[in-house]
Amino acid sequence: MVLKVQMNCEKCRAQALKIAAATQGVTHIAIQGKEKDELMVTGDEVDLVKLTRCLRKKLHHATILTIEVIKEKKEEKKDDEKYTSPYYVCYPPYPMPPQIMVQDPCQSQACSIM
């Protein structure tokens, strides 16, 4: 995705990068363009509308230029999953020996105050 953002100084560029980096799903950010006013953002499930609103709120001008969606081929993954599925064997835990509790008959549990 490429956004055109009003970035006149280094402070504005740094702020735009900071806002884009804080957005959920963003994996890569770059500044491009002839006048260094385009912000290129890549990632999975990035909310572009939310990102644009945040940039407009802080920098007063942001426009969406291009959106490019890359879809992965799911068929290839399905074929690989058939042969790589793990096989687990679980055995029951060893039986615990019975526990015997012995109480001393001489010891009185009643509290006596003398």
Side-chain angles (χ1 to χ4, degrees):
M1 297 167 266
V2 179
L3 302 164
K4 184 168 181 153
V5 183
Q6 182 180 357
M7 298 182 283
N8 299 329
C9 60
E10 287 299 320
K11 184 178 177 182
C12 296
R13 288 184 187 96
Q15 192 171 15
L17 288 172
K18 186 176 179 181
I19 292 168
T23 304
Q24 186 177 6
V26 174
T27 57
H28 186 265
I29 309 162
I31 295 178
Q32 64 183 16
K34 201 175 201 181
E35 298 174 9
K36 302 274 187 190
D37 61 347
E38 294 177 1
L39 186 67
M40 187 174 120
V41 179
T42 57
D44 261 354
E45 299 179 5
V46 178
D47 190 359
L48 190 58
V49 175
K50 184 177 177 182
L51 176 61
T52 308
R53 283 183 186 167
C54 289
L55 289 169
R56 284 180 183 166
K57 188 175 183 180
K58 295 290 182 177
L59 301 172
H60 305 292
H61 182 74
T63 308
I64 301 170
L65 292 180
T66 59
I67 300 173
E68 186 176 322
V69 179
I70 301 172
K71 294 183 180 180
E72 296 178 8
K73 294 182 180 178
K74 293 183 181 179
E75 295 174 7
E76 292 177 8
K77 288 185 178 182
K78 288 181 182 178
D79 292 340
D80 293 340
E81 288 177 3
K82 289 179 185 175
Y83 303 109
T84 60
S85 63
Y87 182 75
Y88 297 103
V89 177
C90 296
Y91 295 102
Y94 294 107
M96 298 294 291
Q99 295 181 358
I100 301 171
M101 296 188 70
V102 179
Q103 188 173 10
D104 187 13
C106 297
Q107 186 180 14
S108 170
Q109 291 189 4
C111 179
S112 65
I113 300 176
M114 291 190 186

